[in-house]
Amino acid sequence: MPRPLGELEDAVMTRVWQWNRPVTVREVLEDLQQERSIAYTTVMTVMDNLHQKGWVRREAEGRAYRYTAVSTRAAYSAALMNEAWSTSDNPAAALVAFFGMMSAEQRDALRDAFRIVGYDDGSAAEPAPEPPAGPPAESAESVAQPPAATPSEAPPAEGDSAGRGAEPGR
């Protein structure tokens, strides 16, 4: 699970992601020096740390290394959002609060993302099931948690609720 990058790590990774090619410490240093005073050894240490953490891979080229991002910024952002959401004690309420913070442009991007992954805006979907009987939820904080199953779990084999499949001869 990723943890957020520090400020300097993010500045370095931003360049690696933007340039989308193998980069050297010297290239990153020269670009960073346009914004701040920073030493070569500091950038070298940060890039080595990013390599140790698995954010970049490196290949030797002469006496230097060329660093390449292991994943995209979008994948990094998605992993951070998933980590934050999955650690919530009430994931549904966290989503409600998150959606409430979104700008119009972010909501448009969310709708686009739903279309890309095959969800629609609900206009063609089946009607939502009726809520269970009982008192209505009073706030986003009281939204019920979704089931704990993860999307990577395989559905049970037909005829076997434990998911082990039918064994021959039984």
Side-chain angles (χ1 to χ4, degrees):
M1 305 257 183
R3 66 173 185 75
L5 295 172
E7 181 183 343
L8 188 52
E9 290 174 323
D10 186 66
V12 168
M13 283 306 300
T14 294
R15 281 140 181 94
V16 175
W17 283 318
Q18 284 175 342
W19 296 339
N20 197 28
R21 62 175 173 76
V23 300
T24 64
V25 171
R26 176 77 51 204
E27 291 172 307
V28 174
L29 170 73
E30 290 173 358
D31 199 59
L32 285 170
Q33 285 179 331
Q34 295 177 22
E35 299 171 4
R36 64 177 103 184
S37 177
I38 190 165
Y40 180 92
T41 54
T42 301
V43 177
M44 182 176 63
T45 299
V46 168
M47 293 185 83
D48 184 60
N49 290 343
L50 289 167
H51 175 256
Q52 297 298 322
K53 292 177 181 180
W55 288 106
V56 294
R57 69 178 60 94
R58 67 184 180 194
E59 292 186 29
E61 183 176 285
R63 292 178 41 189
Y65 286 110
R66 286 210 172 261
Y67 294 84
T68 308
V70 170
S71 66
T72 64
R73 183 181 265 299
Y76 165 71
S77 297
L80 284 179
M81 289 187 290
N82 186 58
E83 172 72 9
W85 181 58
S86 67
T87 60
S88 172
D89 61 348
N90 191 335
L95 283 176
V96 169
F98 179 66
F99 294 155
M101 295 178 203
M102 294 177 117
S103 67
E105 293 80 20
Q106 290 169 323
R107 287 190 302 274
D108 289 343
L110 181 62
R111 280 187 210 95
D112 291 343
F114 276 139
R115 279 192 288 275
I116 290 168
V117 298
Y119 296 112
D120 62 21
D121 64 0
S123 60
E126 295 179 22
E130 290 295 319
E138 294 184 12
S139 70
E141 296 302 317
S142 61
V143 174
Q145 290 188 10
T150 61
S152 61
E153 293 177 354
E158 189 173 322
D160 182 9
S161 63
R164 290 182 296 271
E167 294 181 37
R170 294 207 176 185

